[in-house]
């Protein structure tokens, strides 16, 4: 039974992220997803404050749509990292993000960002979709909570209200 239920839960999570993800489409209209609209609102506040953020997603297929939305809001491209990113490239991306005046946002897959990254330039951590394992989420959040972090770090976890995400959280 579990082998039947888990894929269904995964598809329901994709619908919560954006209907286009569930349908396998490449065009993600921001207005078609409550999460995209909420992320737009949060990102505008972060951009207006001149601050940086990390956005974590469980799905590699969400990285590019999230990057496009954030690039529009921040007025410049950010960085992306996923499991297929080579180790040498990961180090270059981290250095670029940490550098003063570097990109202001970083979209990362939750698994790829789990260990070894120090991203203390970010003051905001956004979990776009939940992993449903608090330890994994905490490990990702800790990328911004490292030795040398001198600012308060704000962590936001996005949940589609009235959805499977909300029920699993409860």
């Amino acid at each position: 039974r579990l082998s039947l239920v888990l894929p269904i839960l995964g598809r329901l999570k994709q619908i919560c992220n954006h209907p286009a993800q569930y349908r396998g489409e490449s065009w993600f209209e921001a207005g078609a997803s409550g999460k995209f609209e909420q992320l737009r609102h949060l990102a505008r506040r972060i951009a207006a404050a001149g601050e940086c953020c990390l956005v974590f997603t469980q799905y590699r297929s969400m990285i590019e749509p999230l990057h496009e939305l954030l690039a529009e809001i921040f007025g410049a491209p950010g960085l992306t990292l996923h499991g297929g990113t080579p180790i040498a490239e990961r180090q270059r991306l981290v250095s670029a993000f940490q550098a003063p005046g570097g990109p202001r946002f970083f979209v990362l897959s939750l698994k790829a960002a789990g260990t070894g990254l120090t991203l203390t330039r970010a003051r905001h951590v956004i979990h776009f979709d939940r992993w449903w394992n608090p330890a994994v989420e905490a490990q990702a959040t800790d990328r911004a909570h490292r030795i040398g972090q001198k600012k308060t770090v704000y962590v936001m976890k996005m949940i589609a209200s009235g959805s499977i995400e909300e029920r699993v959280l409860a």
Side-chain angles (χ1 to χ4, degrees):
R1 288 186 193 164
L2 190 59
S3 65
L4 296 174
V5 171
L6 287 179
I8 292 169
L9 288 175
R11 300 302 278 174
L12 290 171
K13 283 176 66 173
Q14 290 177 342
I15 292 169
C16 291
N17 283 350
H18 197 292
Q21 181 187 17
Y22 171 77
R23 292 190 300 259
E25 297 171 354
S26 59
W27 187 69
F28 286 67
E29 180 188 352
S33 164
K35 278 190 176 183
F36 265 63
E37 284 302 310
Q38 186 62 30
L39 180 60
R40 179 191 304 278
H41 175 73
L42 289 169
R44 282 183 178 149
R45 286 189 2 223
I46 294 165
E51 296 177 344
C52 301
C53 69
L54 305 177
V55 178
F56 291 102
T57 179
Q58 174 183 348
Y59 299 100
R60 184 174 176 175
S61 63
M62 288 303 295
I63 291 175
E64 196 55 39
L66 291 171
H67 181 271
E68 288 175 15
L69 175 71
L70 294 169
E72 174 188 318
I73 293 163
F74 281 90
L79 301 171
T80 62
L81 177 86
H82 53 76
T85 306
I87 300 292
E89 178 69 4
R90 287 170 59 108
Q91 281 309 116
R92 187 195 68 73
L93 292 170
V94 168
S95 295
F97 184 76
Q98 288 292 95
R104 304 233 337 261
F105 69 90
F106 206 156
V107 182
L108 309 100
S109 72
L110 200 53
K111 279 187 176 180
T115 58
L117 302 178
T118 298
L119 301 167
T120 54
R121 189 162 161 254
R123 188 160 184 202
H124 301 270
V125 175
I126 302 168
H127 291 275
F128 184 76
D129 45 58
R130 305 296 305 274
W131 184 255
W132 295 343
N133 178 336
V136 173
E137 286 183 351
Q139 190 176 39
T141 297
D142 286 347
R143 302 310 102 213
H145 282 287
R146 302 294 250 186
I147 294 171
Q149 179 58 276
K150 294 173 175 62
K151 300 175 248 167
T152 301
V153 175
Y154 300 97
V155 180
M156 292 145 276
K157 298 177 180 185
M158 301 182 82
I159 304 279
S161 138
S163 71
I164 188 71
E165 289 182 317
E166 193 173 60
R167 291 198 174 225
V168 169
L169 179 62

